[in-house]
């Protein structure tokens, strides 16, 4: 019986083309990542960005009283200094910036930050009026009065500032500056300047 010869079809070349496409795509992505990283690194070395910082200059209480319906009204006037330490970076403070004062975990009042542009190495003093009303304020007022008797009242001042960074003539996308200042004041007397005994502020940038 003559031998049976089986023909084997040649291998398809489609898989090789697909692998080449994947390799080219990955190589292109890697090159783009390297270029982007080098660009960001160069910008960092050129502009040397620093996070803006803030300090609380003064605090005045316009109103802090318990109403007949047991709600608590609070009106504060806060003076803060915004400092931009960068030599080549400007900061646009956009709409929606908020400043609020908290006692323990309860917000007493809040107010809006102004919209403005802050230039290089600039210090700007901001006067912000805050107001608020707290439901079921009886317990809160009792805690505030008890703390005031010690002469050391802890308050938290929180900052939420949407900003846009300006590098040279280029305005970048909007980011947020989130900050918290832990204050200790001597009293909560209305219509008088409050003495700030201690202040510790921390800030971070959120994309």
């Amino acid at each position: 019986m003559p031998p049976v010869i089986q023909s084997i079809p040649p291998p398809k070349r489609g898989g090789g083309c697909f692998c080449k496409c994947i390799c080219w795509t990955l190589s292109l992505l890697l090159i783009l990542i390297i270029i982007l990283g080098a660009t960001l690194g160069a910008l960092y070395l050129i502009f040397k960005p620093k996070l803006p910082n803030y300090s609380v200059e003064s605090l005045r209480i316009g109103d802090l009283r318990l109403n007949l319906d047991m709600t608590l009204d609070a009106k504060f006037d806060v003076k803060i200094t915004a400092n931009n330490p960068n030599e080549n970076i400007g900061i646009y403070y956009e709409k929606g910036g908020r400043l609020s004062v908290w006692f323990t975990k309860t917000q007493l009042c809040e107010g809006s930050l102004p919209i403005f542009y802050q230039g290089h190495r600039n210090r700007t003093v901001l006067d912000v009026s805050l107001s608020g009303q707290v439901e079921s304020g009886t317990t809160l007022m009792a805690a505030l009065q008890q703390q005031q008797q010690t002469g050391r009242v802890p308050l938290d001042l929180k900052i939420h500032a949407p900003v846009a960074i300006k590098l040279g003539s280029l305005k970048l996308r909007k980011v947020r500056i989130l900050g918290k200042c832990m204050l200790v004041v001597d009293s909560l007397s209305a219509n008088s300047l409050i003495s700030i005994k201690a202040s510790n502020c921390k800030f971070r940038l959120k994309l």
Side-chain angles (χ1 to χ4, degrees):
M1 178 181 295
V4 178
I5 300 176
Q6 296 181 346
S7 61
I8 301 175
K12 297 181 179 180
R13 299 181 178 273
C17 293
F18 179 74
C19 290
K20 287 182 180 180
C21 289
I22 292 295
C23 290
W24 275 106
T25 302
L26 293 177
S27 299
L28 183 59
L29 286 175
L30 181 59
I31 293 172
L32 290 176
I33 291 173
I34 293 174
I35 293 174
L36 179 61
T39 302
L40 292 177
L43 289 175
Y44 182 85
L45 292 175
I46 293 172
F47 291 100
K48 298 178 181 179
K50 298 176 183 178
L51 194 65
N53 55 77
Y54 307 85
S55 59
V56 182
E57 303 300 329
S58 65
L59 174 66
R60 185 182 294 272
I61 298 177
D63 193 9
L64 187 65
R65 58 187 168 86
L66 192 65
N67 300 314
L68 294 177
D69 60 357
M70 300 307 167
T71 59
L72 179 69
D73 283 341
K75 292 182 180 180
F76 287 22
D77 292 311
V78 181
K79 180 179 290 187
I80 63 173
T81 296
N83 177 40
N84 176 15
N86 296 283
E87 295 183 1
N88 302 299
I89 297 176
I91 302 174
Y92 290 94
Y93 284 82
E94 306 282 359
K95 183 179 179 181
R98 309 294 296 173
L99 190 68
S100 57
V101 174
W102 297 65
F103 175 72
T104 61
K105 295 183 179 180
T106 303
Q107 179 177 296
L108 299 177
C109 51
E110 70 172 355
S112 299
L113 291 173
I115 301 172
F116 68 101
Y117 171 73
Q118 187 173 35
H120 311 154
R121 298 185 63 83
N122 175 267
R123 294 172 64 88
T124 303
V125 178
L126 307 175
D127 291 304
V128 185
S129 296
L130 302 88
S131 62
Q133 188 175 82
V134 182
E135 300 293 334
S136 303
T138 307
T139 304
L140 180 61
M141 177 60 87
L144 287 169
Q145 291 175 342
Q146 183 179 10
Q147 194 67 49
Q148 184 172 252
Q149 292 177 359
T150 67
R152 297 183 66 86
V153 183
L155 297 174
D156 290 334
L157 189 146
K158 297 182 181 181
I159 297 173
H160 176 276
V163 300
I165 307 301
K166 183 181 180 183
L167 299 178
S169 59
L170 180 64
K171 185 177 180 180
L172 303 182
R173 56 166 290 193
K174 186 185 297 184
V175 296
R176 288 180 291 169
I177 297 175
L178 303 179
K180 181 178 180 181
C181 291
M182 294 177 285
L183 308 176
V184 177
V185 299
D186 64 340
S187 73
L188 297 173
S189 301
N191 298 315
S192 63
L193 194 63
I194 307 302
S195 175
I196 300 175
K197 292 180 171 293
S199 176
N200 182 21
C201 299
K202 296 180 179 179
F203 304 93
R204 61 188 177 93
L205 197 65
K206 187 172 183 180
L207 302 179

